[in-house]
């Protein structure tokens, strides 16, 4: 009888215990903090067990081109990363570039990301510590992580290829292939993009 009562208690308390634990990023990480232009933002996963993905990222079929599935390796020497590596990169204060157009950026972005649209990246390499002369000198370029809307979005791959053509070191670029679709699909914090 005691065993049945204990078992019933476990089943009754399990949902409350799981809720108290929360939806974590990993077993060890509940949240990280991003520095943004508006101050610190805590990045956590959505705690609502009934949450669903943003409808803007739920559509699975878009015309190709331009919405073609992107390769895992966008260019030789550029490392592709996933959500956990992005979270860890943010936690270390890494520079993140939202390579999407302004319209997409303001609708929601990864906390701490700056917007350098893929169409402007070559003209704005100075913001990544390249020096403009007759050509760009990117010998002191910052480590940077670029993303766009997801594995079907060509904006960040286009930006990365343009950066490489201008002499940006491949080993200083990280590519978050899953982009906002991946970020939102695991329920991570999204903020309104700044201009």
């Amino acid at each position: 009888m005691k065993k049945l009562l204990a078992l019933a208690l476990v089943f009754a308390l399990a949902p409350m215990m799981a809720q108290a634990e929360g939806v974590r990023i990993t077993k060890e990480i509940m949240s990280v903090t991003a520095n943004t232009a508006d101050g610190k933002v805590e990045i956590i996963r959505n705690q609502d067990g009934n949450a669903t993905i943003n409808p803007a990222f739920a559509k699975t079929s878009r015309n190709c081109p331009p919405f073609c599935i992107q390769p895992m390796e966008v260019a030789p020497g550029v490392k592709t990363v996933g959500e956990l590596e992005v979270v860890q990169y943010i936690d270390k204060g890494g520079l993140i570039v939202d390579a999407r157009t302004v319209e997409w950026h303001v609708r929601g972005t990864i906390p701490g990301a700056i917007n350098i649209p893929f169409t402007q990246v070559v003209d704005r390499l100075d913001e990544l510590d390249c020096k403009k002369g007759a050509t760009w000198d990117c010998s002191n370029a910052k480590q940077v992580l670029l993303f766009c809307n997801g594995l079907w979005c060509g904006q960040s791959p286009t930006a990365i290829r343009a950066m490489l053509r201008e002499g940006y070191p491949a080993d200083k670029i990280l590519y978050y292939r899953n982009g906002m679709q991946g970020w939102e699909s695991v329920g991570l914090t999204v903020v309104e993009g700044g201009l």
Side-chain angles (χ1 to χ4, degrees):
M1 183 61 120
K2 285 184 180 180
K3 286 183 182 179
L4 283 176
L5 184 59
L7 190 56
L9 187 59
V10 166
F11 282 118
L13 293 177
M16 289 184 280
M17 290 171 20
Q19 194 171 20
E21 278 292 311
V23 179
R24 304 176 69 80
I25 294 171
T26 68
K27 186 177 176 183
E28 295 81 23
I29 303 169
M30 183 65 185
S31 68
V32 299
T33 302
N35 293 315
T36 74
D38 297 323
K40 294 187 181 296
V41 173
E42 183 181 23
I43 297 175
I44 61 170
R45 290 184 63 202
N46 190 324
Q47 300 298 299
D48 178 358
N50 295 314
T52 59
I53 193 166
N54 177 337
F57 299 108
K59 190 173 182 179
T60 61
S61 300
R62 293 175 165 85
N63 288 340
C64 171
F67 304 106
C68 303
I69 296 173
Q70 299 300 310
M72 186 62 72
E73 182 182 281
V74 70
V78 175
K79 183 178 178 184
T80 301
V81 296
E83 290 73 28
L84 185 54
E85 291 83 9
V86 176
V87 167
Q88 292 166 337
Y89 186 77
I90 290 168
D91 196 36
K92 293 177 183 170
L95 177 61
I96 300 179
V97 172
D98 183 341
R100 300 175 300 157
T101 60
V102 173
E103 296 80 18
W104 275 104
H105 175 73
V106 297
R107 287 172 24 181
T109 192
I110 295 172
I114 62 168
N115 184 223
I116 303 179
F118 73 104
T119 56
Q120 300 174 14
V121 73
V122 169
D123 297 325
R124 295 176 58 184
L125 289 175
D126 58 323
E127 295 175 43
L128 307 176
D129 284 354
C130 293
K131 304 283 185 233
K132 182 68 171 163
T135 60
W136 284 104
D137 173 8
C138 295
S139 56
N140 292 317
K142 293 179 181 178
Q143 176 84 36
V144 64
L145 182 148
L146 284 87
F147 72 92
C148 53
N149 279 323
L151 54 93
W152 46 266
C153 179
Q155 295 175 87
S156 57
T158 299
I160 290 167
R161 290 182 195 106
M163 291 167 68
L164 294 170
R165 275 193 308 272
E166 297 298 318
Y168 211 94
D171 65 345
K172 294 274 187 147
I173 302 172
L174 299 172
Y175 170 45
Y176 175 36
R177 181 176 181 254
N178 292 339
M180 288 306 297
Q181 187 173 36
W183 190 259
E184 291 207 20
S185 74
V186 293
L188 289 164
T189 302
V190 173
V191 295
E192 184 177 306
L195 297 178

